[in-house]
Amino acid sequence: MVDLDTLFTLCKRRGFVYPSSEIYGGFGGFWDYGPLGVEMKRNIRDLWWRSMVQERDDVVGLDAAIIMNPKTWEASGHVQGFVDRLVECKICKQRFREEDVAAMACPSCGGQLSEARLFNTMFRTFVGPVEGEAAVAYLRPETAQGIFVDFKNVLTTSRKKLPFGIAQIGKAFRNEITPGKFIFRQREFEQMELEYFVKPGTDEEWFRYWVEQRKNWHLRYGISPENLRIYEVPAEERAHYSKLTVDLMFNFPFGWGEVEGIADRTDFDLTRHSQVSGEDLTYFDEETNTRYIPYVIEPSVGVDRPFLAFLFNAYQEEPDKEGTRVVLKLHPKVAPYKVAILPLSRKENLVLKAREVWAQLRPHFMTTYDDSQSIGRRYRRQDEIGTPWCVTIDFDTLEDQAVTIRDRDSMIQERVPIVELVSNIQQRLAVC
Ligand code: GAP
């Protein structure tokens, strides 16, 4: 697998990801997604939403506020329990998570480390004009709580019956002590979370169902089976709310790392919010004529981690006539652009034709256009950013009204009439 530095360089050079505020020296744990990154991220979100909401009859969506009433985080246990154990080097004063250091020596200078202190990783801010303790609020460290707090509203308005789920995609923030490994551990990131409410007693069955569903999603869109591992998280490593947790791990070049966590959160969150808010958050089960607080199964995944895993999994270097071809074999639905339009030369009549073809494709697919340098170089440029299909407009096109489609992975070329181009590419996308 390609190393982290090579992938980072490609991401920056081609416009997938940039260090945030780079002209000021960057800002640790914050990243910006460039023109290609923003497309790929959008594709990952859309594929998640499609499989978790659109294609199901038992899940609805939500978009809750990032800053919530601070009582939310007292009820959820985050004010008390969302902590890392932090040690400080007595010489260079750098701070580390206790679990990241071996033999209690500073990883930076070898100095002696202090006793561990608890450090809450929620970002604090103030709401309103007064900066006092009474105005403290938090940037959400997970999107899930918006779903729990809105549970009753969604239940009433959607009239769903158990089992049913509420899905949400949005930013989350954690003041990580040691952000790093490129976009793997960030301080501002994006989560895609489903809270799936079930009848108590059926939770373990649903838990296994969601582990399977989510594993298959990652396998389908960009992780090879040998790079995916299921980790049953032992009790001592689980979050305070969880009865069962499985992590889906990817074989990153820096070691196996969590891409997604699936947890059985029991009735912990709804019970706590019910106690603290005084609202009745029970569900009336018409079949059994009883009221109870549902259990919750939560598949929770960042957008950024599959983004990174898909890139690592896709990166390949293949020997070719000119040396090495670098190709991102991304799933076509994940790739930033579906089609590149490449006129063979900059002759005016060819460019006009190419622009006409481009205009036909744009309403249907995310496309790009490139007319600089040799056609071979242009193919290589598209391979390196994962564009699955290149459409070449040559001098014959002006006569036969046909173009050549070149496939990124097989490099097979096919001549296709322009009138069939949109449906040909739609067909290729539909079968992958
Ligand atoms: N609501 C449950 C929850 O937040 P988590 O395991 O802390 O659980 C879920 O986070 C997912 O969010 C992780 O599997 C990962 O994909 C993503 N994630 C968590 N912290 C992250 C960070 N600092 N940077 C990037 N992604 C992160």
Side-chain angles (χ1 to χ4, degrees):
M1 187 172 289
V2 62
D3 61 79
L4 187 60
D5 283 350
T6 309
L7 192 82
F8 167 74
T9 307
L10 185 146
C11 281
K12 182 157 184 277
R13 184 168 46 78
R14 298 307 311 269
F16 281 92
V17 183
Y18 313 122
S20 166
S21 348
E22 196 182 10
I23 61 169
Y24 293 106
F27 203 37
F30 298 92
W31 295 90
D32 296 344
Y33 287 76
L36 297 186
V38 81
E39 292 304 330
M40 183 162 150
K41 229 177 156 188
R42 204 165 55 87
N43 293 338
I44 292 173
R45 273 191 225 110
D46 288 351
L47 290 168
W48 187 87
W49 197 264
R50 170 176 267 278
S51 84
M52 303 299 268
V53 184
Q54 185 183 331
E55 290 178 354
R56 302 187 65 97
D57 62 4
D58 56 352
V59 177
V60 291
L62 182 73
D63 187 9
I66 287 176
I67 297 182
M68 305 171 65
N69 187 313
K71 286 190 190 134
T72 305
W73 306 107
E74 281 164 30
S76 68
H78 284 78
V79 170
Q80 276 276 312
F82 200 62
V83 287
D84 266 343
R85 289 173 64 81
L86 176 151
V87 289
E88 187 177 276
C89 173
K90 291 183 177 168
I91 296 174
C92 71
K93 305 292 177 204
Q94 280 195 65
R95 291 170 178 183
F96 306 92
R97 287 162 74 199
E98 188 183 35
E99 62 184 77
D100 291 343
V101 293
M104 286 308 278
C106 172
S108 184
C109 74
Q112 202 191 350
L113 296 172
S114 69
E115 290 290 303
R117 285 192 298 121
L118 293 183
F119 172 76
N120 195 302
T121 53
M122 279 196 294
F123 277 106
R124 279 155 58 105
T125 187
F126 303 99
V127 173
V130 183
E131 292 195 0
E133 278 305 305
V136 165
Y138 302 94
L139 302 193
R140 65 183 178 199
E142 60 169 6
T143 65
Q145 295 303 326
I147 297 178
F148 296 129
V149 168
D150 271 335
F151 169 73
K152 202 172 167 185
N153 276 335
V154 176
L155 185 65
T156 313
T157 51
S158 69
R159 301 159 61 91
K160 288 280 177 201
K161 302 265 177 283
L162 290 192
F164 82 96
I166 306 176
Q168 176 164 223
I169 300 179
K171 288 274 180 138
F173 304 82
R174 295 181 190 177
N175 194 3
E176 300 280 4
I177 299 164
T178 43
K181 296 171 187 149
F182 191 21
I183 54 171
F184 181 82
R185 185 172 292 128
Q186 303 181 58
R187 290 182 166 134
E188 173 180 343
F189 54 99
E190 202 166 347
Q191 284 190 319
M192 307 186 284
E193 300 201 295
L194 170 70
E195 306 305 320
Y196 195 75
F197 301 94
V198 303
K199 187 174 176 179
T202 64
D203 50 310
E204 294 192 15
E205 201 180 309
W206 280 110
F207 176 77
R208 292 292 151 202
Y209 166 87
W210 280 109
V211 170
E212 200 55 24
Q213 290 289 311
R214 297 303 306 148
K215 181 186 84 181
N216 291 338
W217 186 88
H218 290 282
L219 291 175
R220 172 155 188 213
Y221 291 115
I223 298 186
S224 313
E226 68 277 14
N227 287 331
L228 188 74
R229 188 186 275 176
I230 288 183
Y231 176 59
E232 304 268 349
V233 181
E236 63 276 15
E237 288 176 25
R238 288 199 289 265
H240 59 278
Y241 49 72
S242 173
K243 162 184 165 189
L244 285 172
T245 302
V246 154
D247 285 347
L248 302 179
M249 314 280 283
F250 178 74
N251 188 12
F252 290 101
F254 44 79
W256 289 91
E258 175 191 336
V259 170
E260 170 154 1
I262 298 109
D264 182 341
R265 291 182 81 130
T266 68
D267 56 359
F268 176 85
D269 300 271
L270 288 181
T271 304
R272 289 290 301 145
H273 287 304
S274 184
Q275 286 166 350
V276 176
S277 69
E279 278 285 334
D280 177 7
L281 299 179
T282 55
Y283 170 82
F284 180 68
D285 187 330
E286 285 169 6
E287 273 176 28
T288 56
N289 231 5
T290 51
R291 277 196 169 276
Y292 50 79
I293 292 197
Y295 268 40
V296 177
I297 308 303
E298 175 196 67
S300 169
V301 59
V303 181
D304 316 81
R305 294 225 180 140
F307 183 101
L308 189 60
F310 290 173
L311 283 175
F312 273 119
N313 207 103
Y315 184 100
Q316 290 192 19
E317 292 182 5
E318 295 176 349
D320 74 353
K321 293 195 293 287
E322 286 145 41
T324 308
R325 157 172 116 114
V326 172
V327 52
L328 285 185
K329 293 194 170 172
L330 291 168
H331 189 288
K333 288 183 177 148
V334 171
Y337 298 128
K338 309 297 169 240
V339 194
I341 293 95
L342 315 176
L344 202 59
S345 93
R346 282 181 172 164
K347 289 255 162 50
E348 195 186 346
N349 50 355
L350 219 54
V351 167
L352 280 175
K353 194 71 195 169
R355 290 194 154 268
E356 194 185 301
V357 171
W358 190 19
Q360 279 182 28
L361 293 175
R362 281 205 301 271
H364 305 276
F365 315 105
M366 203 60 217
T367 58
T368 183
Y369 180 94
D370 187 2
D371 63 4
S372 64
Q373 298 183 311
S374 75
I375 192 74
R377 281 200 166 200
R378 282 183 268 162
Y379 283 152
R380 292 294 170 273
R381 276 207 289 273
Q382 295 304 323
D383 289 344
E384 202 188 36
I385 60 169
T387 308
W389 300 293
C390 287
V391 169
T392 310
I393 288 88
D394 55 28
F395 290 101
D396 289 340
T397 305
L398 302 175
E399 307 302 322
D400 65 2
Q401 302 300 319
V403 292
T404 303
I405 304 184
R406 177 235 192 216
D407 182 88
R408 176 194 70 199
D409 298 346
S410 65
M411 292 191 277
I412 290 172
Q413 304 198 2
E414 188 192 344
R415 196 83 184 155
V416 177
I418 293 172
V419 287
E420 292 171 18
L421 189 55
V422 167
S423 61
N424 184 298
I425 294 168
Q426 275 169 340
Q427 184 60 26
R428 287 168 189 255
L429 259 179
V431 297
C432 65

